[in-house]
């Protein structure tokens, strides 16, 4: 928590003294509420409005790699009050996931407050490879495997896996590793559903060059500067 006038000044809006003037003269709102007390303290998540304009914060960028558990929603908040991926990360910074994993999908998810990187990574032109491990119902026949490898139409657009391998075959199930560039919602489930082999379990194992490493379900780590730079350099 920091003093309101300090936050206004440190974000380059004006000097501390002028910030105090703005507060005293009723020009500043915090979370939509007028604040005229100079001692008021705010945190990273509070929105500050000065003369009707939102204060842009030049806050430090943060980057997390989470091993998302099952039963957690990939968003910042949820109207049904389900647990969110953001709530698993201990930070005061407003972060959000880069892309999403389904409620029942586990595995690698990136979270950040860096909109530029998020946009770059999610832009269809720059989509990066993601690898998934899918447990499907039944076994792919050789011809199903071959046609999937060649690419199949999903909702009028062809998807060609960048990688496809059967990891394990069981009596009425198969573990498949599949790599995809694109990021349409539920894409892995749609692919296998279209072949009449619904996905029973799904985990994302990698995102570009990033892997889960030793992170257990629900654990996370910060990305290193080197990793962030490498993500920026992906085109
Ligand atoms: N494809 C899916 O079907 N679900 C996910 O969560 C991610 C990719």
């Amino acid at each position: 928590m920091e003093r309101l006038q300090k936050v206004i000044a440190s974000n380059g809006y004006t000097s501390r003294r002028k910030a105090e003037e703005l507060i005293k003269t009723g020009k500043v709102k915090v979370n939509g509420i007028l604040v005229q007390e100079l001692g008021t303290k705010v945190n990273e998540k509070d929105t500050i409005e000065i003369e009707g304009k939102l204060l842009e914060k030049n806050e430090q960028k943060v980057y997390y790699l989470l091993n998302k558990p099952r039963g957690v929603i990939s968003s910042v908040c949820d109207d049904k009050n389900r647990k969110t991926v953001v709530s698993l990360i201990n930070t005061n910074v407003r972060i959000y996931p880069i892309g999403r994993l389904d409620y029942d999908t586990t595995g690698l998810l990136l979270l950040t407050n860096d909109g530029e990187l998020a946009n770059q990574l999610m832009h269809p032109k720059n989509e990066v490879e993601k690898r998934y491990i899918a447990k499907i119902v039944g076994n792919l026949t050789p011809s199903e495997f071959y046609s999937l490898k060649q690419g199949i139409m999903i909702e009028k657009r062809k998807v060609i896996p960048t990688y496809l391998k059967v990891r394990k075959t069981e009596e009425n199930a198969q573990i498949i590793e599949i790599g995809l560039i694109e990021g349409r919602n539920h894409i892995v489930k749609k692919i296998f559903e279209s072949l009449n082999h619904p996905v029973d379990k799904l985990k994302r194992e990698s995102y570009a060059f990033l892997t889960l490493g030793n992170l257990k379900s629900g654990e996370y780590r910060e990305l290193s500067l080197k990793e962030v730079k490498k993500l920026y350099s992906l085109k």
Side-chain angles (χ1 to χ4, degrees), residues 68 74 100-106 130 132 180 182-191 199 202-204:
K68 177 192 171 295
S74 292
R100 51 178 54 232
L101 290 177
D102 294 335
Y103 189 66
D104 57 353
T105 300
T106 60
K130 296 119 197 153
Y132 299 88
L180 297 172
E182 75 154 275
R184 272 187 273 170
N185 279 347
H186 318 303
I187 190 68
V188 177
K189 291 177 184 166
K190 283 178 184 162
I191 289 172
V199 169
L202 186 60
K203 178 177 191 178
R204 183 152 75 190

Side-chain angles (χ1 to χ4, degrees), residues 77-94:
C77 56
D78 182 46
D79 48 14
K80 292 187 201 132
N81 248 335
R82 289 173 296 184
K83 205 179 216 182
T84 67
V85 285
V86 166
S87 74
L88 298 177
I89 305 220
N90 187 13
T91 175
N92 276 331
V93 181
R94 279 171 183 261

Side-chain angles (χ1 to χ4, degrees), residues 4-53:
L4 182 55
Q5 58 269 38
K6 182 169 176 212
V7 174
I8 295 173
S10 64
N11 281 288
Y13 188 88
T14 184
S15 67
R16 182 113 38 123
R17 203 179 51 77
K18 290 213 174 105
E20 288 176 358
E21 276 306 308
L22 288 167
I23 296 167
K24 282 197 282 189
T25 53
K27 305 272 172 39
V28 180
K29 285 182 180 174
V30 175
N31 301 326
I33 297 165
L34 188 69
V35 169
Q36 287 181 277
E37 276 287 315
L38 283 183
T40 305
K41 291 200 168 171
V42 290
N43 69 24
E44 306 268 7
K45 290 190 178 176
D46 291 320
T47 59
I48 300 168
E49 239 176 274
I50 305 167
E51 299 183 310
K53 269 183 71 185

